[in-house]
C-alpha cells in the first residue's frame, strides 16, 4: 500500500512538468533542428540571436503586468507601438536628429501611451473575462483611426513642416519612414563591447561579489545563516566552474572565440533593458504590485480588501502601454526604418507568442519566461527561411512555417490552459463529492 501511495507522488510532478512546458520543449527541438538544417557559421547564429534578443525583449516584457492583474495577454500593446511611431514622426517633422531625437520621441510617446492605455483599460473593465479578444479587436479599431489620421489628416489638417514625410499629393504620410544616419542605431552605438569581453567582465564581477558575500557569511555566526552560507558557496563554485568552462571553450575552439569576439553587445540598450527588468521586479514588491497580484488572483476578494479593482487594472494596462512604446522605439532605432501604416500590426501577436514559448501562461508570467521566449521564438524566426531553403530549396516554405508557428503557439497555449483548467475543476468537484 505504501509503495502504491508513493507512485502518484513520483509520476504526477513529472507529468505536470511535461504538460506545463510542452510548448517550450517543442520549440527547443524545432530551434535545434532549424539551426542544424540552416548550416550557418556559429558567428552568424550567435550574432543574429543577440541582435534579435536586444531588439525585441522590452516588447515582450511589456506583457507581464497585465498577466499579473489577471487580464491575460495584452494584445492592445499595439497602442504603445503606435504612440512610439507618432513620436518618431513628430521628431522627424521638426528635423531633429541623433540620440536627442529618440529621447524627444519617447517623451512625446509617454503621454500618448498613457492616454491610450487609460482608454484601453476603461474599455477592458467593461469586458471582464474577455480581455484578450477585446484587446485584439481594439488593436484593429485603433489601426483604423491611426491610418485615418496619418493618411488623410496629415497635410490638410495637421501641418507637416518636413515635406519629405508627405506624399507627392501633399495629403498623407509616405511609407516607409527612414531614420537619418545620425539617429539610426544611435542607442546601440552609444557604447558597445564584444560579447567575449562582456562575458569575461560579467563572470569576473559575479565571482568577486559572491566571494565577498561568501566570506561574510562564513565569518557570521549562527545556525540560522547556514542555508545562506551554503547557497553563496554553491553560487561561487558554480560561477568559478562557468568561468573555467568558458575559458576552456575559448582556448579549444577558434570558431567559438571568433564568434564571441565578432559579436557586438550594445551595452546602452542592455542597460535600458536591465532598468526595465529592475522596474518590473521592484514593482512586484511595492503596494501597487501586491494590489495587482491580488486583483489577478481573485477580484472579489480584492474588492473586499478595499482594493479599487478597476483602477488597478487600468494602471496595469497603462504601464504595459508605456513599456510597449519604449520597446517599439528601441526596435525602430535598431532597424533604421518602419512602414508607416503597418509596422505595429504584428507587435502584439509576436510578443505574445514569444512569451508563451518561454513557458508563460495567461495567468503566470515572469522575466525569465520573457527572456527564454525571446531567445527561442526569434531563433525560429531567423532560421526558418534558411532551413526551408536548404531542405526544400524554397525559402518561402520557411516563411510560411514561422507564420504558422506563431499563431499555432498561441492556439496551443490557450488550448492547454483551457484543458488544465477543466481538469482541475473536475478534480475539485470529485474531491467535494
Amino acid at each position: 500500500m505504501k509503495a502504491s501511495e508513493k507512485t502518484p507522488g513520483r509520476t504526477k510532478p513529472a507529468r505536470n512538468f511535461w504538460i506545463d512546458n510542452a510548448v517550450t520543449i517543442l520549440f527547443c527541438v524545432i530551434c535545434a533542428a532549424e539551426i542544424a538544417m540552416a548550416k550557418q557559421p556559429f558567428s552568424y547564429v550567435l550574432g543574429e540571436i543577440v541582435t534579435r534578443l536586444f531588439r525585441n525583449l522590452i516588447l515582450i516584457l511589456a506583457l507581464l503586468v497585465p498577466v499579473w492583474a489577471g487580464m491575460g495577454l495584452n494584445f492592445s500593446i499595439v497602442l504603445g507601438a503606435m504612440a512610439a511611431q507618432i513620436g518618431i514622426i513628430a521628431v522627424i517633422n521638426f528635423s531633429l536628429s541623433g540620440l536627442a531625437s529618440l529621447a524627444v520621441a519617447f517623451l512625446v510617446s509617454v503621454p500618448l501611451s498613457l492616454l491610450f492605455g487609460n482608454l484601453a483599460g476603461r474599455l477592458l473593465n467593461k469586458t471582464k473575462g474577455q480581455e484578450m479578444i477585446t484587446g485584439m479587436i481594439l488593436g484593429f479599431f485603433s489601426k483604423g483611426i491611426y491610418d485615418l489620421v496619418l493618411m488623410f489628416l496629415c497635410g490638410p489638417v495637421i501641418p507637416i513642416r518636413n515635406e519629405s514625410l508627405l506624399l507627392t499629393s501633399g495629403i498623407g504620410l509616405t511609407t516607409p519612414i527612414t531614420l537619418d544616419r545620425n539617429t539610426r542605431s544611435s542607442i546601440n552605438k552609444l557604447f558597445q563591447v564584444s560579447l567575449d569581453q562582456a562575458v569575461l567582465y560579467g563572470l569576473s564581477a559575479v565571482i568577486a561579489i559572491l566571494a565577498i558575500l561568501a566570506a561574510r557569511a562564513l565569518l557570521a555566526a549562527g545556525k540560522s545563516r547556514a542555508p545562506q552560507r551554503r547557497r553563496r558557496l554553491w553560487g561561487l563554485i558554480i560561477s568559478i566552474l562557468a568561468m573555467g568552462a568558458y575559458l576552456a571553450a575559448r582556448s579549444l575552439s577558434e570558431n567559438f572565440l571568433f564568434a564571441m569576439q565578432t559579436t557586438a553587445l550594445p551595452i546602452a540598450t542592455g542597460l535600458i533593458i536591465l532598468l526595465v527588468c529592475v522596474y518590473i521586479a521592484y514593482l512586484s514588491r511595492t503596494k501597487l504590485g501586491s494590489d495587482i497580484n491580488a486583483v489577478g488572483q481573485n477580484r472579489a476578494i480584492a474588492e473586499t480588501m478595499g482594493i479599487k479593482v478597476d483602477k488597478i487594472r487600468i494602471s496595469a494596462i497603462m504601464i504595459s502601454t508605456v513599456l510597449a512604446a519604449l520597446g517599439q522605439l528601441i526596435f525602430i532605432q535598431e532597424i533604421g526604418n518602419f512602414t508607416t501604416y503597418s509596422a505595429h500590426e504584428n507587435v502584439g501577436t509576436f510578443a505574445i507568442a514569444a512569451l508563451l514559448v518561454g513557458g508563460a501562461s495567461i495567468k503566470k508570467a515572469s522575466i525569465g519566461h520573457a527572456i527564454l521566449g525571446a531567445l527561442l521564438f526569434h531563433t525560429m524566426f531567423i532560421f526558418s527561411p534558411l532551413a526551408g531553403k536548404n531542405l526544400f530549396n524554397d525559402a518561402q516554405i520557411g516563411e510560411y512555417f514561422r507564420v504558422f508557428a506563431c499563431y499555432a503557439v498561441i492556439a496551443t497555449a490557450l488550448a492547454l490552459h483551457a484543458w488544465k483548467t477543466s481538469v482541475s475543476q473536475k478534480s475539485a468537484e470529485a474531491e467535494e463529492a
Side-chain angles (χ1 to χ4, degrees):
M1 188 68 180
K2 291 181 179 179
S4 62
E5 289 176 355
K6 290 180 181 179
T7 303
R10 291 178 181 176
T11 57
K12 189 175 180 180
R15 181 186 174 190
N16 289 343
F17 173 81
W18 290 105
I19 292 173
D20 293 341
N21 299 282
V23 176
T24 304
I25 294 168
L26 176 62
F27 256 73
C28 286
V29 174
I30 291 173
C31 289
E34 286 185 349
I35 290 173
M37 288 186 291
K39 299 178 181 178
Q40 296 295 316
F42 182 64
S43 57
Y44 175 81
V45 173
L46 188 62
E48 287 293 318
I49 291 174
V50 169
T51 299
R52 295 271 183 157
L53 177 64
F54 280 78
R55 182 194 300 167
N56 295 279
L57 187 53
I58 295 179
L59 286 169
I60 303 170
L61 292 169
L63 297 167
L64 298 185
V65 180
V67 173
W68 298 351
M71 303 179 75
L73 302 164
N74 183 21
F75 282 91
S76 62
I77 62 169
V78 295
L79 299 175
M82 291 178 191
Q85 291 167 196
I86 293 171
I88 292 174
I89 291 169
V91 297
I92 293 177
N93 184 41
F94 288 96
S95 302
L96 300 178
S97 180
L99 189 62
S101 69
L102 294 177
V104 173
F106 179 63
L107 291 176
V108 171
S109 71
V110 168
L112 288 174
S113 55
L114 287 173
L115 173 63
F116 296 163
N118 186 280
L119 295 175
R122 291 177 183 274
L123 176 62
L124 295 177
N125 279 338
K126 303 293 183 181
T127 58
K128 292 186 176 74
Q130 305 294 329
E131 291 91 350
M132 286 191 288
I133 187 62
T134 304
M136 185 181 293
I137 300 302
L138 176 60
F140 295 142
F141 172 74
S142 302
K143 172 179 166 51
I145 298 176
Y146 173 88
D147 289 349
L148 174 67
V149 171
L150 299 190
M151 197 175 293
F152 296 105
L153 300 185
C154 285
V157 178
I158 301 173
I160 301 297
R161 296 174 54 182
N162 190 336
E163 294 184 358
S164 65
L165 287 173
L166 287 173
L167 295 169
T168 53
S169 62
I171 302 174
L173 299 186
T174 185
T175 185
I177 292 176
T178 303
L179 305 182
D180 61 44
R181 185 177 60 184
N182 295 327
T183 307
R184 188 182 302 119
S185 295
S186 57
I187 298 177
N188 289 3
K189 294 175 181 177
L190 188 62
F191 181 39
Q192 289 182 323
V193 298
S194 70
L195 186 57
D196 180 56
Q197 290 177 313
V199 171
L200 286 174
Y201 296 156
L203 285 174
S204 299
V206 168
I207 290 172
I209 293 170
L210 287 175
I212 294 171
L213 293 176
R216 290 179 60 186
L218 287 171
L219 292 173
K223 293 183 179 180
S224 61
R225 297 195 178 185
Q228 188 179 28
R229 289 200 298 268
R230 284 197 295 269
R231 285 196 299 269
R232 288 175 178 176
L233 284 172
W234 274 111
L236 179 60
I237 292 169
I238 292 170
S239 299
I240 292 172
L241 291 175
M243 174 67 89
Y246 180 71
L247 293 175
R250 288 175 79 249
S251 60
L252 294 175
S253 174
E254 292 183 1
N255 290 334
F256 180 82
L257 178 60
F258 176 77
M260 297 297 292
Q261 291 179 341
T262 55
T263 300
L265 202 67
I267 298 299
T269 306
L271 288 175
I272 294 174
I273 294 171
L274 179 62
L275 287 174
V276 172
C277 292
V278 169
Y279 168 73
I280 292 172
Y282 171 75
L283 177 65
S284 66
R285 291 169 173 79
T286 61
K287 174 66 167 60
L288 176 60
S290 62
D291 288 348
I292 289 172
N293 281 308
V295 171
Q297 290 173 9
N298 193 304
R299 290 200 303 269
I301 294 176
E303 286 179 352
T304 60
M305 293 170 60
I307 298 173
K308 297 180 179 179
V309 172
D310 287 353
K311 185 177 179 181
I312 292 297
R313 286 162 57 92
I314 291 173
S315 298
I317 294 296
M318 290 172 70
I319 292 170
S320 177
T321 310
V322 171
L323 291 179
L326 176 61
Q328 185 72 349
L329 192 66
I330 295 293
F331 181 92
I332 291 173
Q333 67 87 31
E334 202 277 333
I335 293 290
N337 62 75
F338 67 98
T339 50
T340 312
Y341 302 101
S342 61
H344 54 276
E345 285 184 350
N346 292 320
V347 164
T349 305
F350 290 164
I352 286 167
L355 186 64
L356 293 174
V357 166
S361 68
I362 64 173
K363 289 188 175 181
K364 183 180 179 182
S366 67
I367 294 172
H369 291 143
I371 294 172
L372 179 59
L375 286 171
L376 292 176
F377 185 76
H378 289 286
T379 297
M380 183 205 72
F381 245 62
I382 297 164
F383 295 104
S384 285
L386 297 171
K389 183 178 181 180
N390 290 337
L391 193 62
F392 302 104
N393 201 26
D394 187 357
Q396 193 64 38
I397 293 178
E399 292 284 348
Y400 292 145
F401 174 77
R402 69 183 186 181
V403 173
F404 158 77
C406 174
Y407 293 102
V409 163
I410 297 175
T412 303
L414 295 179
L416 284 172
H417 173 74
W419 176 73
K420 285 188 286 186
T421 302
S422 176
V423 169
S424 63
Q425 288 177 349
K426 288 181 180 178
S427 62
E429 291 173 0
E431 288 178 0
E432 290 177 0

